[in-house]
């Protein structure tokens, strides 16, 4: 009965149906109702194959990139003359940060003799620096040695680990100084500088990208007692101080004022550096320290002190409010309208403004203190400003034109945090400026070659070359900054993002999904594949095993 009905429904020949049961099921699958099944299976099979192929391609690409980074090709050596007989100009790049390294990466180093000078022999991916004190990310994962970067360019690049001490824009000379650090055995924290070595180098073009330094506004006690978060060793120092305070507090009676003081982390400055650091430290306490020191999450306090009514002033108002709400939910003690006036070994002295406008003096005891109050010009930038008439009124940074050329000097280009432009000083700006400047200098090298060729040509050819040179000079386009948006980590696995799409649209996001986006965007923004892999592994490691709680 069943078989007959089946025959009717499916139109299967009785002979085959009766001979074996297996074909029945095959034929049933081809019935209109079941026709979708093999299609679905086929789709899944192809999806699986595509995923496998993509995974293989990804691994292959990564392997190739790592191989390329670690096995650089032979470089064209530095020479006085180019193969065409023209003089090879010298470009000195001061710095090894965002502006300097972005320039170096895109500069045609076969067209110039390039010298890079920086006291820091590595590039530091600053956006992830706030994750270092808590051990979410290892400092080595966000550092890329200058020598490795320099070895990957087509032409030889010389590197001097030194700081510029003086610049003579007339003679086009720079005095640079190297200071070695002598480590005292038995006391790894004490270092001493050896006798400095000085030398003078010359340039045809100077790419000035020395960044900025921390602004303490002359507030008493900050240089002596506060840590900063600007360089890799600052992050290590914050971690050491944090753990010193935590371990010392264990010896004191619960509830005592001294124990409470030691367990208070005070971060001064509610810009992105301060916010991200406060958020990372609070996460560390709540998510990991609480597992190894039960109860510490209730004892430790993280305070963020900001002079203005709001934190993160460059972000959309909704995202500022979202950050404040997140901080409240995380129990971060946010003190806006509170201006730090003085600091000593144990306390921060501030002036707090109430809603009615009245001010009162307050004292905030601390065990760990970090100053994230913003930036100011480096001494060397002040020295340079003093030597160029057009720069002498430049208080907030060097003044440059749309090609990043220093006002008052045709051979010096300045970029990044050491300049004062309409753009907020960020890595994003310095990175784009570096790319622009390298492209611009590459074009200047071509123009220079044509000019050399013109000098050695008959008048007819010289005329042709002149027209070409004029056209090339007219085609030199000024720098235009493309703002892609701002992002910040605000704790509890949440980030905020103000994203810009061209000139026509922007979107503000906040939350866990934004945190995922933040991670992807930062990995993409990193300059080397090695660092991308290391940071991804660090994130995986800390999510699997938690952040490490050893002091070193
Ligand atoms: P830097 O990157 O600071 O580089 C300056 C270089 O000059 C350094 O290598 C230094 O050693 C060298 N130098 C110093 N003195 C001398 C000298 N006398 N001679 C020669 N070399 C010298 N921006 C963003 O866009 N997004 C972010 O998420 C972000 N996060 C940040 C997080 C932190 C904790 C910090 C501190 C900054 C962050 N920034 C971020 C800002 C960004 O790091 C800076 O805007 C960017 O580094 C500026 O690049 P720069 O090349 O001008 O200077
Ligand atoms: P900042 O200048 O952005 O913020 C410093 C904060 O400290 C300000 O809000 C200021 O009001 C406050 N402050 C100054 N003096 C004070 C006092 N006496 N008492 C209390 N508060 C005081 O500095 P930052 O956060 O170090 O950032 C520096 C630069 O780097 C900025 O251009 C910033 O955009 C960029 N940055 C960007 C990111 C990001 O995009 N995620 C992260 C870090 C830094």
């Amino acid at each position: 009965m069943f078989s007959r009905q089946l025959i009717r429904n499916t139109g299967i020949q009785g002979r085959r149906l009766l001979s074996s049961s297996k074909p029945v099921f095959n034929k049933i699958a081809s019935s209109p109702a079941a026709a979708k099944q093999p299609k679905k299976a086929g789709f899944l099979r192809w999806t699986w194959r595509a995923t496998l192929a993509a995974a293989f391609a990804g691994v292959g690409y990564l392997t190739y990139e790592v191989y390329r980074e670690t096995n650089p090709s032979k470089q064209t050596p530095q020479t006085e003359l180019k193969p065409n007989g023209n003089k090879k100009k010298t470009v000195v790049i001061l710095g090894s940060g965002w502006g300097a390294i972005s320039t170096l990466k895109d500069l045609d180093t076969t067209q110039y003799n390039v010298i890079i000078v920086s006291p820091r022999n590595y590039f530091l991916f600053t956006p992830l620096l706030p994750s270092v004190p808590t051990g979410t990310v290892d400092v080595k994962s966000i550092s890329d040695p200058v020598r490795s970067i320099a070895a990957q360019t087509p032409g030889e690049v010389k590197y001097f680990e030194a700081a510029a001490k003086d610049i003579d824009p007339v003679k086009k000379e720079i005095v640079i100084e190297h200071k070695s650090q002598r480590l005292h055995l038995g006391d790894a924290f004490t270092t001493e500088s050896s006798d400095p070595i000085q030398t003078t180098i010359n340039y045809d073009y100077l790419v000035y990208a020395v960044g900025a330094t921390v602004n303490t506004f002359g507030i008493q006690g900050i240089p002596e007692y506060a840590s900063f978060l600007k360089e890799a060793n600052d992050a290590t120092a914050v971690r050491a101080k944090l753990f010193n305070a935590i371990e010392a507090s264990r010896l004191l009676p619960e509830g005592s004022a001294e124990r409470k003081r030691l367990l208070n982390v005070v971060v001064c400055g509610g810009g992105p550096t301060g916010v991200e650091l406060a958020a990372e430290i609070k996460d560390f306490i709540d998510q990991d320290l609480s597992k190894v020191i039960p109860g510490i999450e209730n004892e430790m306090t993280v305070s963020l002190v900001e002079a203005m009514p709001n934190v993160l002033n460059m972000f959309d108002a909704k995202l500022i409010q979202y950050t404040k709400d997140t901080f409240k939910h995380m129990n971060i003690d946010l003190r806006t309208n509170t201006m730090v006036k003085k600091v000593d070994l144990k306390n921060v002295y501030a002036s707090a403004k109430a809603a009615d406008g009245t001010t009162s003096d307050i004292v905030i005891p601390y065990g760990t203190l970090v100053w994230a109050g913003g930036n100011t010009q480096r001494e060397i930038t002040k020295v340079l400003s003093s030597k160029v008439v057009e720069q002498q009124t430049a208080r907030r940074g060097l003044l440059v034109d749309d090609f990043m050329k220093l006002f008052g000097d045709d051979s010096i280009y300045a970029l990044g945090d050491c300049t004062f432009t309409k753009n907020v000083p960020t890595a994003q700006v310095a990175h784009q400026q570096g790319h622009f400047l390298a492209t611009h200098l590459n074009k200047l090298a071509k123009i220079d070659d044509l000019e050399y060729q013109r000098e050695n040509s008959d008048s007819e050819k010289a005329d042709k070359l002149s027209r070409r040179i004029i056209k090339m000079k007219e085609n030199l386009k000024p720098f235009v900054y493309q703002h892609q948006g701002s992002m910040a980590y605000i704790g509890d696995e949440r980030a905020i993002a103000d994203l810009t799409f061209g000139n026509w649209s922007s979107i503000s996001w906040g939350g866990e999904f934004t945190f995922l986006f933040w991670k992807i965007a930062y990995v993409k923004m990193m300059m080397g594949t090695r660092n991308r892999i290391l940071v991804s592994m660090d994130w995986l490691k800390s999510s699997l095993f938690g952040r490490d709680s050893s002091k070193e």
Side-chain angles (χ1 to χ4, degrees):
M1 168 68 193
F2 170 74
S3 300
R4 223 172 293 135
Q5 200 169 353
L6 200 71
I7 294 165
R8 226 177 292 129
N9 286 348
T10 60
I12 302 166
Q13 298 298 318
R15 189 173 50 84
R16 278 190 67 196
L17 175 68
L18 296 172
S19 63
S20 153
S21 64
K22 203 172 168 208
V24 175
F25 292 106
N26 287 342
K27 289 290 179 181
I28 285 171
S30 70
S31 73
K36 279 185 189 142
Q37 224 173 315
K39 267 193 194 164
K40 202 170 153 194
F43 173 73
L44 285 177
R45 197 163 48 241
W46 279 107
T47 310
W48 167 241
R49 282 179 189 166
T51 312
L52 261 186
F56 276 123
V59 171
Y61 174 74
L62 280 183
T63 313
Y64 165 73
E65 282 295 311
V66 170
Y67 179 82
R68 206 177 51 82
E69 271 181 28
T70 47
N71 296 279
S73 319
K74 205 163 177 287
Q75 293 179 305
T76 310
Q78 298 207 343
T79 47
E80 241 179 69
L81 300 179
K82 293 187 195 178
N84 62 8
N86 190 14
K87 179 184 177 272
K88 214 185 214 186
K89 288 187 170 165
T90 299
V91 172
V92 173
I93 301 177
L94 289 185
S96 56
W98 280 97
I101 296 301
S102 304
T103 309
L104 179 66
K105 286 219 162 195
D106 290 328
L107 190 64
D108 185 347
T109 50
T110 60
Q111 294 300 313
Y112 292 107
N113 290 326
V114 179
I115 302 173
I116 182 156
V117 178
S118 175
R120 193 178 75 195
N121 79 351
Y122 54 90
F123 166 77
L124 184 69
F125 186 80
T126 47
L128 289 180
L129 194 59
S131 305
V132 172
T134 57
T136 312
V137 164
D138 190 90
V139 73
K140 289 285 173 208
S141 306
I142 57 165
S143 313
D144 201 358
V146 174
R147 288 192 185 279
S148 309
I149 301 169
Q152 285 161 39
T153 63
E156 181 192 0
V157 172
K158 288 189 176 148
Y159 168 62
F160 295 123
E161 189 192 282
K165 285 281 147 187
D166 197 11
I167 299 171
D168 185 335
V170 178
K171 290 188 186 160
K172 297 188 183 179
E173 266 180 15
I174 313 168
V175 176
I176 62 168
E177 184 178 274
H178 167 88
K179 273 188 194 168
S180 287
Q181 297 240 298
R182 269 194 227 131
L183 215 64
H184 284 270
L185 292 174
D187 185 359
F189 283 107
T190 328
T191 55
E192 177 189 279
S193 292
S194 65
D195 293 337
I197 304 171
Q198 282 200 352
T199 188
T200 303
I201 55 172
N202 290 84
Y203 61 84
D204 292 301
Y205 291 127
L206 172 60
V207 174
Y208 190 84
V210 302
T213 188
V214 176
N215 195 352
T216 61
F217 297 99
I219 298 172
Q220 195 187 327
I222 288 180
E224 294 90 336
Y225 303 112
S227 294
F228 304 135
L229 192 67
K230 186 98 181 86
E231 297 293 341
N233 56 354
D234 293 333
T236 323
V238 172
R239 183 175 175 86
K241 285 187 181 176
L242 187 68
F243 275 97
N244 275 340
I246 292 171
E247 296 302 352
S249 76
R250 302 294 91 192
L251 278 69
L252 298 169
E254 253 179 66
S256 71
E258 187 58 0
R259 180 163 158 139
K260 277 190 183 157
R261 175 186 75 77
L262 285 171
L263 292 177
N264 196 15
V265 182
V266 178
V267 179
C268 303
T273 303
V275 166
E276 291 189 327
L277 180 68
E280 286 273 359
I281 294 178
K282 188 73 173 108
D283 275 354
F284 181 40
I285 297 165
D286 291 350
Q287 296 169 3
D288 295 304
L289 279 183
S290 59
K291 290 182 189 154
V292 288
I293 316 175
I296 195 148
E297 69 279 17
N298 303 321
E299 274 197 282
M300 271 193 99
T301 326
V302 177
S303 306
L304 182 67
V305 182
E306 166 57 48
M308 307 296 282
N310 275 319
V311 292
L312 296 178
N313 284 305
M314 77 285 277
F315 281 88
D316 182 270
K318 280 195 300 263
L319 294 181
I320 295 177
Q321 191 53 48
Y322 182 68
T323 307
K324 285 180 166 178
D325 293 345
T326 303
F327 272 24
K328 200 170 173 194
H329 151 83
M330 291 174 72
N331 282 327
I332 292 178
D333 170 34
L334 179 59
R335 295 171 183 239
T336 49
N337 282 316
T338 306
M339 180 173 275
V340 175
K341 298 280 187 189
K342 191 182 130 183
V343 159
D344 67 19
L345 182 63
K346 295 185 176 182
N347 297 303
V348 171
Y349 302 87
S351 156
K353 198 176 184 184
D356 62 5
T358 56
T359 56
S360 56
D361 292 339
I362 58 163
V363 180
I364 314 170
Y366 73 85
T368 308
L369 176 66
V370 184
W371 176 255
N375 293 333
T376 186
Q377 292 312 302
R378 290 191 190 276
E379 274 314 306
I380 184 67
T381 305
K382 292 180 193 161
V383 169
L384 177 59
S385 300
S386 70
K387 296 196 175 176
V388 181
V389 179
E390 286 80 350
Q391 298 293 327
Q392 281 164 13
T393 52
R395 294 278 165 267
R396 299 175 64 183
L398 297 171
L399 304 173
V400 291
D401 68 13
D402 287 345
F403 292 88
M404 270 168 272
K405 198 157 67 177
L406 202 69
F407 282 138
D409 193 296
D410 279 348
S411 308
I412 304 179
Y413 291 85
L415 67 162
D417 285 8
C418 62
T419 59
F420 178 60
T421 66
K422 57 181 186 290
N423 304 314
V424 177
T426 61
Q428 198 183 150
V429 171
H431 180 65
Q432 289 186 26
Q433 288 176 330
H435 170 73
F436 167 85
L437 186 52
T439 316
H440 183 69
L441 288 173
N442 293 344
K443 288 179 189 162
L444 291 190
K446 281 193 185 132
I447 293 174
D448 192 52
D449 280 348
L450 290 178
E451 281 173 341
Y452 173 76
Q453 217 181 318
R454 182 176 59 183
E455 276 166 30
N456 299 295
S457 303
D458 58 45
S459 62
E460 197 188 330
K461 201 170 175 206
D463 280 353
K464 264 189 185 168
L465 286 168
S466 290
R467 282 197 294 276
R468 225 175 122 193
I469 291 165
I470 291 169
K471 210 168 172 192
M472 280 182 82
K473 284 188 176 169
E474 280 170 358
N475 280 340
L476 290 172
K477 298 272 183 300
F479 171 68
V480 181
Y481 173 59
Q482 301 286 338
H483 186 60
Q484 286 158 4
S486 310
M487 289 190 295
Y489 180 64
I490 57 165
D492 197 28
E493 317 274 293
R494 300 177 200 183
I496 52 169
D498 258 337
L499 302 180
T500 313
F501 304 98
N503 292 329
W504 50 273
S505 172
S506 71
I507 152 171
S508 302
W509 276 344
E512 282 101 350
F513 175 74
T514 316
F515 180 46
L516 182 68
F517 177 80
W518 176 91
K519 280 186 164 178
I520 295 168
Y522 276 178
V523 166
K524 193 168 172 288
M525 196 176 159
M526 300 194 93
M527 292 206 204
T529 309
R530 179 185 146 273
N531 293 108
R532 289 194 184 109
I533 296 173
L534 291 179
V535 162
S536 306
M537 280 163 48
D538 285 348
W539 281 334
L540 181 68
K541 208 169 68 184
S542 46
S543 62
L544 286 179
F545 306 114
R547 300 168 186 89
D548 181 80
S549 61
S550 55
K551 210 152 112 185
E552 286 313 311

